[in-house]
Amino acid sequence: MPKGPKLVKKDWEQDKVYLIQFPRTGCIPSPSPYSLKLETWLRMAGIEYENVSNEFKHMSNRGQQPFIELNGEQVSDTSIIIDTLATKVQGRELNELSTKEKSIERAFYALIEHHLNWMGFYSRSQTFKWIGTDAGYGKSFSGIKAFFLKRVVVPRFERKLKAKCAGQWIGTLTNEEKISELKKDINAVCVLLADKPFLFGDEPKTVGYLTREGHGVSFEYWNLIDATLFGHLAQIFYTPQFTGEIKKYIETTTPNLIAYLNRIKERFWPDWDEIGQTLRMDTKWKQ
Ligand SMILES: N[C@@H](CCC(=O)N[C@@H](CS)C(=O)NCC(=O)O)C(=O)O
């Protein structure tokens, strides 16, 4: 049998989801849009999970975080994790999207995760200093470790992200063009949301059915769009960006997106502030 990746959680329990991710930060539960997306989705989908810190060193076999461990196996990449876990919520009341809605959802998924996300990466490539302050990991490190974080880790990370962005379309744009592209993305999600509580209606749709009989096109796709938007938009709104223009634009032009962030925070992240203060990974979010 081929050997799987080394498990972080050695003493695992059957059917328990272990979410391995970066430790908490002060201004947002995770500085990773993907971790925030996945944890939000787990909460929306009502799946019990236990957070495990990756201690800045445990990465998936793709070289990334977050990832999960389930029944002694590692599953990585948030969209694949969600596909895998979605089967766990079968039998619950499911919200079904129409075929057309599913295709729109797919397009917005790509817009958020493969276009808008680059603005976040670009911002952090320019300045990721906040991660060394109390808004980030400042409270977790002192002395030589804090010095190392600020003087070595942060600049190294900025350089890595700069190289990543340079190899993408975003690397060819002027700052003005970048901001203009981001505004177009923000406008698009603002219009899709309109005055609805969630992107496709009154509830965050977390799961869809597999195939609709009688339709020419069948989607084998689990809806994860609200968690995806929240994970990425929260990074742009709650963490420092390379220009204050972005936050100002959201505040003045798309107040429905701010209400949306607040709605998701209130309902699925009642422990948001507690996390920021204590940096604990085991806070309770449900009574
Ligand atoms: N497509 C992946 C993306 C995950 C990802 O890019 N994670 C980043 C953190 S936000 C990472 O682990 N990067 C590793 C590195 O840069 O060393 C997913 O959805 O899980």
Side-chain angles (χ1 to χ4, degrees):
M1 231 169 88
K3 257 176 98 183
K6 252 169 113 183
L7 293 180
V8 178
K9 186 77 184 173
K10 304 254 174 350
D11 52 341
W12 50 269
E13 286 170 33
Q14 188 70 23
D15 291 337
K16 189 155 185 180
V17 175
Y18 297 97
L19 170 55
I20 294 101
Q21 59 168 321
F22 287 140
R24 299 298 198 197
T25 46
C27 69
I28 194 160
S30 174
S32 158
Y34 303 99
S35 299
L36 193 60
K37 160 193 168 184
L38 180 58
E39 196 169 354
T40 303
W41 185 83
L42 287 165
R43 290 177 173 206
M44 285 176 167
I47 296 178
E48 297 295 330
Y49 64 96
E50 185 180 312
N51 270 318
V52 179
S53 167
N54 84 333
E55 294 167 356
F56 302 105
K57 59 179 184 203
H58 302 295
M59 293 299 201
S60 71
N61 48 7
R62 295 177 211 268
Q64 295 173 330
Q65 71 79 64
F67 57 96
I68 64 158
E69 289 177 357
L70 178 62
N71 295 334
E73 290 194 15
Q74 181 195 92
V75 189
S76 61
D77 192 291
T78 51
S79 301
I80 292 168
I81 296 169
I82 288 173
D83 274 351
T84 307
L85 288 178
T87 54
K88 280 181 76 80
V89 289
Q90 268 180 333
R92 285 170 195 266
E93 198 180 315
L94 303 182
N95 289 314
E96 190 182 2
L97 292 178
S98 71
T99 306
K100 189 172 172 197
E101 282 174 328
K102 279 181 184 166
S103 64
I104 295 171
E105 187 204 37
R106 182 67 193 171
F108 271 89
Y109 166 76
L111 175 138
I112 296 161
E113 200 143 307
H114 298 289
H115 194 266
L116 179 141
N117 69 317
W118 281 102
M119 296 298 160
F121 288 156
Y122 176 77
S123 242
R124 289 181 182 180
S125 77
Q126 298 306 295
T127 173
F128 202 30
K129 293 197 177 30
W130 67 269
I131 203 77
T133 70
D134 286 357
Y137 292 116
K139 281 193 262 174
S140 309
F141 297 101
S142 58
I144 186 77
K145 283 189 177 163
F147 181 83
F148 187 73
L149 171 69
K150 287 182 189 160
R151 295 298 169 87
V152 180
V153 179
V154 169
R156 192 195 289 154
F157 204 80
E158 287 174 351
R159 279 198 302 277
K160 192 173 164 181
L161 279 178
K162 272 192 187 111
K164 222 170 154 173
C165 291
Q168 292 287 331
W169 63 281
I170 195 165
T172 68
L173 303 182
T174 64
N175 275 359
E176 213 169 70
E177 288 164 341
K178 287 184 187 88
I179 294 167
S180 156
E181 283 297 301
L182 180 62
K183 285 180 180 171
K184 287 181 207 162
D185 289 352
I186 288 171
N187 290 347
V189 282
C190 165
V191 169
L192 180 69
L193 178 64
D195 55 4
K196 301 187 295 303
F198 294 96
L199 286 172
F200 286 93
D202 290 340
E203 284 297 308
K205 309 282 175 113
T206 54
V207 221
Y209 289 126
L210 284 177
T211 308
R212 302 193 77 204
E213 299 285 317
H215 273 274
V217 187
S218 70
F219 285 82
E220 294 204 357
Y221 178 62
W222 300 97
N223 178 355
L224 65 154
I225 196 72
D226 283 300
T228 304
L229 178 58
F230 182 75
H232 287 271
L233 194 61
Q235 299 295 334
I236 288 179
F237 194 70
Y238 297 119
T239 73
Q241 300 298 304
F242 76 102
T243 161
E245 204 185 316
I246 297 168
K247 190 166 184 195
K248 208 161 107 202
Y249 183 78
I250 297 173
E251 278 167 345
T252 53
T253 323
T254 63
N256 63 338
L257 290 180
I258 298 183
Y260 175 81
L261 288 174
N262 286 334
R263 193 172 301 124
I264 294 185
K265 262 175 78 178
E266 267 165 34
R267 185 155 153 197
F268 299 103
W269 288 95
D271 50 346
W272 185 282
D273 293 339
E274 186 191 350
I275 290 171
Q277 281 150 21
T278 63
L279 305 181
R280 292 182 70 100
M281 297 190 89
D282 61 352
T283 48
K284 297 268 169 294
W285 75 278
K286 257 190 320 198
Q287 288 319 311

